[in-house]
Amino acid sequence: MGHYLGIDLGSTTTKAVLIDGAGKVQGFGLTNTRSSYEVAAAIARGEALADAQLSRIEAELSRLGQSAAELGAEVRRAYRVEVAAGRLASLRARTLELARATPKGDGAAQKLEALFAKMLADATPLFSPLAADRSRFFRDVVAARFLSEAEELAQAREISFELAMGAFDRAVVEMENTEVAAELGPTLERAMARARFSPAKAQAVAEARGAVERQPLEVSRMVGTGYGRQRLPFPKEQIRSEILCHGLGAHALFSKTRTVLDIGGQDTKAIQVDEQGVVTSFQMNDRCAAGCGRYLGYIAEEMNLGIHELGPLALTATRAVRISSTCTVFAGVELRERLSLGERRENILLGLHRAIVLRAMSLLARSGGVKDEFTFTGGVARNPAVVRELQSLIDRHYGERRLNVHSDSIYTGALGAALFAQRQGEA
Amino acid sequence: MSATRPTTSAQKDISMERQKAMLARHFQELSKVRETGRKVAYTFVPGNLTELISEAGMLGVYPEINALQSGMRQRSADFIHEAERLGHNEDVCTYVKCDIGMLTKGNIGPTGEKLPPPDLLLLSYTGCFTFMKWFELLRREYHCEIAMLHVPYAADGQPTEAMRQYIAKQLRNEVIPKFEKVSGKKLDLDSLAARLRRSALAEEDLSWVLESAKKKPSPIDAYFGAVYYVGPIFTAFRGGEDCIGYYRALRQEVKSRLEHGEGPVTPDGTLAKERFRLVVEGPPNWTHFRDFWKIFYEEGVVFVASTYTKVGGLYDRGFRHGAEKDPLLSLADYCLSCYTNLSLPARVDLLERYVREYAADGFIFNSIKSCKSFSAGQLVMLREVEKRTGIPGAFIESDLVDPRYYSQANIKNRVESYLQMLDQRRRA
Amino acid sequence: MSAEQELERLLDRCERIYGDVALEEVKAWKAAHPGRPAIGHLPVYVPREVIHAAGALPVALQGGGDQVDIVRGDACFQSYICHLPRSTVELGLQGELDLLEGLVFPSTCDVIRNLSGIWQLLFQGKYVRYLDLPQALNDTGGLFYLEDLEGLMNDVAARANQKPDKAAVAASIRLYNRNRRALQLLYELRAEAPQLVAADEAFLVARAGGQMEVSAHSDLVETFVSLARKRNRRKEDRIRVVAIGAFCEQPPLGLLRTLERSGCYVVDDDLNLGARWIQGDVEPGDFPLKALSKAYLVQSTWASVRFEDEQFRGDQLVARVKALRADGVIFAAPSFCDPALLDQPPLQKALTDANLPFISFKYAENTGQFQGFREQAGTFSDSLKLWGTT
């Protein structure tokens, strides 16, 4: 049976989804979009294919009974941790190399080596969030930990913080721009060893893998979408606009969807679809990125917080400060002025979240309003404060609407693209 | 598969060459006014009183056209920058800033010759508030006569008799005396009336050309192609023999394309297959005119009707100069009925008719930052046209001559999304 | 009650009216005048006398300030359109303007003009009147305008179940003459003793008239002026400035307060310009509507939205600055306001030629940050105080 691949080349992240002939999702791939769209696409595609192989192994195991199905999930978690550990090892090598190249770098490299050793020893707990949530990034997890370790060392005057972060940042960007060919078999062997699988379990997995590899996975057709889609080396008919893909993807995730809101890094889209997932009308934001994910990114930077920390913090606010501008350029100024006036940080944050939601509401109104059901997708849909404010404004202006947010919502566009590939393949 | 195929030389716009020659002659005459002593009037396209200018023996200069030409020749960015350096705000109309910048940098016209200063600023205040502010600014530079013609806005859909009389009276009591003062020549109303009737001959042919887009496939692009077609009739030539000749030739040319089942001519050749028939509202962008056009013809889009090509007269809806016996009332009817002077509901009606009469698959709004007369309210119009036709519309944004407000990737993305949506609907 | 307490009470009332987008004042008027309509109008100038004489309450609509969440209003306008029409549409769609029997849109600019069309499309069946103020500033224009005024008068009178009546127009003109005189007194007091009337106070007092019966408002202004005169306030070392550009979309109160706190006395401005448009009394005579039409031709203040006929605005601005002994000018205009912004270069040139200093900035009615204004205005004030120049 053929498989179909959808790739969504976004401005900040690239996603890939592989489905089988029945439209069932087999694999996901995700990476940051760095300098090269081509590399990002290749990485996401590679991840999705490996992920699909794991799905097939899982299916093979589940045919053997309930406990084997659980084993499948266990294999997947172990595999993800192993891949991340492998990437961490290459990150270490490159960071040390860069550190050594700086003046007095040898001493620093020594300290960093110890730091990485600590992280590698912790690989299983460190990367378990990645194994549990396929919408999280290796870079975010690893950078948060490295930052806190490096800060500690710097405070103890053991290392220059600037030097450490400088080397790390460069190394991590280089790594994201490198396509790594991970072989399934050896990686799986190492993963099972790290996770201490019993010989019996390891044997069962090896047999399932053998069965899967006897029938190679074939991608019959690919469709690309997203901001960078023109850069994909695909023929024209295999490129679909992200609007159509988001509409179809949202329909696949929640079949009663009639209105879709997608807030990504650089743009916001409001889409109306019919009962087949066919787009009937859409609106995109103005040319500037005001009110998009990037805006939250600036705010997070300004507040020295991780982007995923913003929403939960905003939810602790007692009231929302009125913010009139969602201009990305002025975000920092607005924030500092409010802080200098003595406003509480979480209240300002809630105000900023509200401002984003108000812009999105305008776009929704432009596209034809909010119908039932309403599906919210894109990176910003993972922010709980945005979701709460959105729900309350929609209830106020349009009456009660069911609001869907899927845990895989960042893959909506790629899923839609895969479904288009499937239709084309069948046509 | 390519969207276009080579155009044979026989199919090329011969009329285009003719227009170029007409323009060259006009600018040459403008460059010689020191010797010839001919007087010059600056004026705007909507509600222009070209026949009056010609009757007074004067020459017309159209600052809007200079600005759009500067945009097409990639000079506008410099001019706008110059005006902003002089204190003009980033928020305001870029036609004005382009003109002020061009003036500051020597007032060199599109043909490379210096434009003469005006002897008269003929402020036909037709459907654009900025026209007034524009000439207030120019007046400070030139210290010449200014004639204000206040054309009331047809806010309730139809011009009233009071509006017609108001315009005719202004023409009689204020505008014509200023012309006579500047030109030193008494105006002959009978001769003016005869000239208006000549205008109608060209108007008849232009209307035929525009309406040819009702055929499938359409032999013309009623937006990108038609901005050239309306050139002579919107500016200095209406009412003259040259103009009549141009439109006769154009009609022949389009007729022959129609007989051969040929599509519109694009910069890359003749459009091979008409995939989408669209109606468009709003002016085009001039700084990236060809790139902008390309987004559409590459996808097989033909614009079958546009509102922008009606800013200098709604000839396809039946208006003709000289139809009203009194030449002054005829001019009043003309000013009142230009597209820029229509109310929003009247604009919605027109768009709806275009979509239906031209059997369009969809419609698109190009919203221009500079031009609030066009833009303010377009989003409401869009929804209304969608509601009435049951067809979704598309909305894109750019500017007339400010390249900073044109993003090829952004517009292409939206247009492609829109066309794919139309396609998907067609299949569903 | 002390004078200061009374002033405070009065200002509280004005601020309540200012912040009241639900138009409670108008509701109260309608409850007290059953069967009589309220007619809204957009800035800048509409001859409120005509609406008043036809038996209706003229209500000035001046946007939503910084109090309205814009959801559907933004859906109607691109980012490069000013803010006032967004909040007006938002209020309309929220039903806050349902109590108005009609809306008058004067020919202020292309945006207000097109807003009349938006109203026709969104609120079908509502009375919408576009008032084309004449740009032909002569008898021809005057006659056209007179016919327009007659039309407006007849339309409104029909809605009030009244007969258009010459005597009523004359009476209304007289009431508005008194109101203009009262506002004139207010502005004179500020010019003479700016420490007695803060810029935001004058703004609030004048603006309250937009929702009130004219006589009640004249009473209010007169009371305010006489009480303010009794204030015992020391004049501070601040510069005297004329603020211009805010004739349509009004700035947030915080902006006005910021200016004065940064070391300026605003001795004149063009806020609420419509209420002070006609200079001096209008003599109703035997043909009061004609008198109003004539007044527009010859007694209008200079404004960016009216054709610059004989006198250059720059010269008029310079004359005003000199007459008020002001130290400089602050151009404060709404973002994307074509009339105000297109006028700035020639006005600034006139000031430069007359050796008068100025600064300029843009705002929106819902601007929330004032830091930039504070710094600019503060620097302007300091440099003028120190060196008498910028």
Side-chain angles (χ1 to χ4, degrees), chain B residues 89-91 127 129 133 136 139-140 148 150 152-153 155 162 166 169-170 174 345 367 372-373 375-376, chain C residues 78 80 108 110 113-114 120 130 132-133 135-136 138 143-144 147 304 308-309 313 336 338 343 345 362:
Chain B
N89 202 280
E90 60 191 354
D91 291 352
F129 184 87
K133 306 308 288 178
E136 284 178 358
R139 183 195 200 178
R140 287 190 183 83
M148 155 61 95
H150 177 198
Y153 183 55
Y166 175 37
K169 212 164 151 189
Q170 288 179 77
E174 316 291 335
S367 172
K372 292 174 182 130
S373 166
S375 308
Chain C
Q78 303 88 328
Y80 47 80
T108 297
D110 291 332
R113 183 196 75 182
N114 287 10
Q120 290 166 328
Y130 184 68
D132 221 331
L133 296 160
Q135 300 292 7
N138 48 43
L143 182 64
F144 173 73
E147 288 173 359
S304 299
E308 184 178 65
D309 198 14
R313 293 185 198 102
F336 308 108
D338 277 349
D343 258 1
K362 293 186 283 189

Side-chain angles (χ1 to χ4, degrees), chain B residues 113-381:
Chain B
E113 284 152 315
K114 191 176 164 72
L115 289 170
D119 300 289
L120 175 68
L121 290 169
L122 173 56
L123 172 46
S124 60
Y125 174 72
T126 304
C128 169
F129 184 87
T130 300
F131 286 160
M132 185 176 94
K133 306 308 288 178
W134 191 341
F135 271 14
E136 284 178 358
L137 290 169
L138 288 194
R139 183 195 200 178
R140 287 190 183 83
E141 304 295 330
Y142 292 120
H143 307 284
C144 64
E145 284 286 346
I146 183 165
M148 155 61 95
L149 177 68
H150 177 198
V151 175
Y153 183 55
D156 291 325
Q158 282 298 319
T160 63
E161 187 55 30
M163 293 175 182
R164 301 176 77 216
Q165 297 298 339
Y166 175 37
I167 296 173
K169 212 164 151 189
Q170 288 179 77
L171 289 171
R172 192 177 306 115
N173 298 348
E174 316 291 335
V175 177
I176 291 175
K178 285 222 165 125
F179 265 103
E180 290 177 338
K181 185 174 159 195
V182 171
S183 68
K185 187 182 157 197
K186 182 95 183 120
L187 186 85
D188 179 345
L189 281 177
D190 291 336
S191 174
L192 176 65
R195 192 179 285 272
L196 293 178
R197 287 193 293 276
R198 285 203 297 282
S199 294
L201 297 177
E203 288 159 7
E204 196 63 37
D205 284 335
L206 171 66
S207 300
W208 186 92
V209 167
L210 294 175
E211 300 215 312
S212 71
K214 285 181 180 167
K215 296 284 193 308
K216 286 187 188 180
S218 167
I220 62 160
D221 185 291
Y223 190 41
F224 293 106
V227 298
Y228 292 102
Y229 303 158
V230 296
I233 214 163
F234 276 13
T235 59
F237 308 98
R238 200 177 58 231
E241 291 300 335
D242 263 1
C243 187
I244 297 171
Y246 169 81
Y247 285 100
R248 200 173 297 140
L250 177 66
R251 182 172 175 161
Q252 277 311 315
E253 197 174 285
V254 172
K255 197 165 163 234
S256 127
R257 279 215 294 273
L258 201 59
E259 283 162 3
H260 293 94
E262 294 282 347
V265 178
T266 76
D268 283 345
T270 301
L271 193 75
K273 188 173 185 305
E274 178 181 287
R275 287 185 61 228
F276 299 98
R277 296 167 63 83
L278 300 185
V279 168
V280 58
E281 146 78 14
N285 163 275
W286 301 112
T287 53
H288 299 72
F289 187 78
R290 288 205 164 190
D291 293 338
F292 188 42
W293 190 353
K294 192 170 185 172
I295 292 174
F296 295 98
Y297 68 71
E298 273 189 342
E299 297 285 340
V301 171
V302 176
F303 284 105
V304 288
S306 66
T307 55
Y308 174 67
T309 52
K310 315 296 155 50
V311 297
L314 267 166
Y315 302 115
D316 61 327
R317 307 313 295 181
F319 171 81
R320 294 290 179 271
H321 276 95
E324 163 68 54
K325 249 199 208 125
D326 177 348
L328 301 188
L329 279 177
S330 181
L331 288 173
D333 288 341
Y334 165 67
C335 293
L336 283 164
S337 65
C338 285
Y339 184 73
T340 53
N341 207 47
L342 300 191
S343 69
L344 262 57
R347 286 165 66 187
V348 168
D349 286 346
L350 186 65
L351 283 163
E352 184 195 351
R353 282 180 189 197
Y354 280 161
V355 170
R356 292 188 197 286
E357 290 174 12
Y358 287 79
D361 302 304
F363 57 92
I364 194 159
F365 280 56
N366 183 32
S367 172
I368 293 288
K369 172 183 177 281
S370 274
C371 191
K372 292 174 182 130
S373 166
F374 257 105
S375 308
Q378 273 179 330
L379 285 157
V380 181
M381 290 171 58

Side-chain angles (χ1 to χ4, degrees), chain C residues 204-270:
Chain C
L204 287 171
V205 168
R207 167 137 170 178
Q211 290 187 36
M212 292 172 70
E213 172 68 40
V214 60
S215 299
H217 183 246
S218 301
D219 292 344
L220 185 147
V221 180
E222 285 167 9
T223 309
F224 177 83
V225 170
S226 69
L227 289 170
R229 277 188 196 288
K230 293 180 196 149
R231 272 174 163 169
N232 185 17
R233 284 189 181 173
R234 206 168 42 82
K235 201 168 190 169
E236 292 175 19
D237 180 25
R238 300 193 202 170
I239 58 164
R240 293 166 62 87
V241 298
V242 171
I244 63 164
F247 47 81
C248 183
E249 180 175 322
Q250 309 277 286
L253 283 181
L255 175 55
L256 296 173
R257 289 172 181 155
T258 300
L259 290 187
E260 294 217 321
R261 278 181 203 148
S262 319
C264 304
Y265 280 127
V266 181
V267 295
D268 194 15
D269 58 50
D270 53 6

